[in-house]
Amino acid sequence: MLRTVTATRYVTPLREGGSLPAIVEADDLGTYVLKFRGAGQGRKALVAELVAGELARRLGLLVPEVVLAKLAPELGRSEPDPEIQDLLKRSTGVNLALDYLPGSLGFDPLVEPPGSELASCIVWFDALVTNVDRTPRNTNLLVWHGRLWLIDHGASLYFHHNWPSREGAALEAAGRRPFAAARDHVLLPFADSIREADAALAPCLTPEALRAVVDLIPIEWLDDEPGFADAGEVRAAYVAYLKSRLREPRDWVGALEEDAR
Ligand SMILES: Nc1ncnc2c1ncn2[C@@H]1O[C@H](COP(=O)(O)OP(=O)(O)O)[C@@H](O)[C@H]1O
Ligand SMILES: [Mg+2]
């Protein structure tokens, strides 16, 4: 289960990407980075953030705690910026938030080159979930207390913007497809043990583990998905896609090794 909090104060926008996440305070006195359901890619970005983040955590990678964050309509009333007020209004209800890591710094591979094992694990993970957002220009990695933390998975699982056929050859092809963005990955130059990463990580993501992660998605983010009868069917489609990605032989792992060479 993910914890649920209620946002009590909008503190400040984080104007790095286009989605205008914000630092907020919540009723548990915690500080969070809130990702708005009403932003650009809508609720699918939140699904991707949740699913990819929790998969990474299962693989032993560090991800800030993910919580569900309720937004009351009153929160935006005192907000002077009309763009932000609008975003808050459109996001009333359940949003996603990540525990804010105070004092964290953006990761720079030239300052602190990562070890080969960790780099390979992160590259393998991003290839699994097709996360195109870990480039040298925009690493989406934070250094906090001397360790590397993964953030910003909203652009992963991009198949869900255009669902492949949920069975048969199309699903199989999607499962095997090489991760085209591997060459732009900030950690690719350090990832020289992809095979070892694959052997260590793939067994962690059993069908039960996939199911448990997908079951964490709040129903509000799945209801009324075009082409699906109900939220349960959408959940099943996420699990089927991830299973097909993990099914052997994993052609995308071979392709990744080539890219890393
Ligand atoms: N949990 C966090 N703790 C501290 N800073 C964060 C956290 N999440 C995001 N940030 C900061 O906010 C910026 C924007 O957040 P991010 O999740 O990358 O969204 P986007 O790139 O879509 O705007 C990050 O580059 C980082 O500097
Ligand atoms: Mg980002």
Side-chain angles (χ1 to χ4, degrees), residues 48-73:
E49 190 86 48
L50 188 165
V51 171
E54 293 307 312
L55 289 174
R57 199 185 313 284
R58 294 228 168 204
L59 296 173
L61 298 168
L62 296 175
V63 182
E65 185 191 1
V66 171
V67 301
L68 303 180
K70 288 194 183 156
L71 250 185

Side-chain angles (χ1 to χ4, degrees), residues 70-248:
K70 288 194 183 156
L71 250 185
E74 300 83 61
L75 198 77
R77 269 191 211 138
S78 55
E79 177 54 48
D81 182 330
E83 187 191 2
I84 292 169
Q85 198 176 85
D86 212 48
L87 183 60
L88 289 168
K89 226 181 269 166
R90 275 182 282 130
S91 304
T92 298
V94 183
N95 297 268
L96 180 144
L98 294 125
D99 190 25
Y100 179 68
L101 308 182
S104 57
L105 293 173
F107 165 74
D108 181 343
L110 299 178
V111 178
E112 297 163 81
S116 149
E117 189 187 336
L118 179 59
S120 302
C121 287
I122 295 173
V123 169
W124 183 92
F125 161 72
D126 285 326
L128 170 74
V129 298
T130 62
N131 177 24
V132 298
D133 246 0
R134 203 119 44 211
T135 63
R137 215 172 45 83
N138 184 12
T139 66
N140 288 310
L141 292 167
L142 297 176
V143 179
W144 192 56
H145 291 289
R147 301 172 79 189
L148 212 49
W149 292 72
L150 280 63
I151 59 162
D152 198 3
H153 301 111
S156 62
L157 304 176
Y158 57 71
F159 67 90
H160 66 176
H161 295 290
N162 182 12
W163 282 102
S165 169
R166 275 164 260 148
E167 33 200 76
L171 179 65
E172 209 169 291
R176 292 182 170 202
R177 193 160 300 137
F179 177 50
R183 292 192 189 133
D184 301 325
H185 198 290
V186 62
L187 298 183
L188 190 73
F190 307 94
D192 49 22
S193 48
I194 296 288
R195 264 301 142 195
E196 291 79 355
D198 181 65
L201 300 182
C204 303
L205 299 179
T206 60
E208 294 71 36
L210 300 178
R211 184 81 235 176
V213 166
V214 168
D215 279 346
L216 295 171
I217 307 169
I219 194 159
E220 295 92 322
W221 301 349
L222 299 173
D223 268 342
D224 303 319
E225 180 66 21
F228 293 83
D230 56 26
E233 231 178 57
V234 190
R235 285 187 210 280
Y238 279 107
V239 173
Y241 174 82
L242 290 166
K243 270 192 194 162
S244 83
R245 220 60 202 129
L246 286 158
R247 197 165 294 133
E248 295 190 78

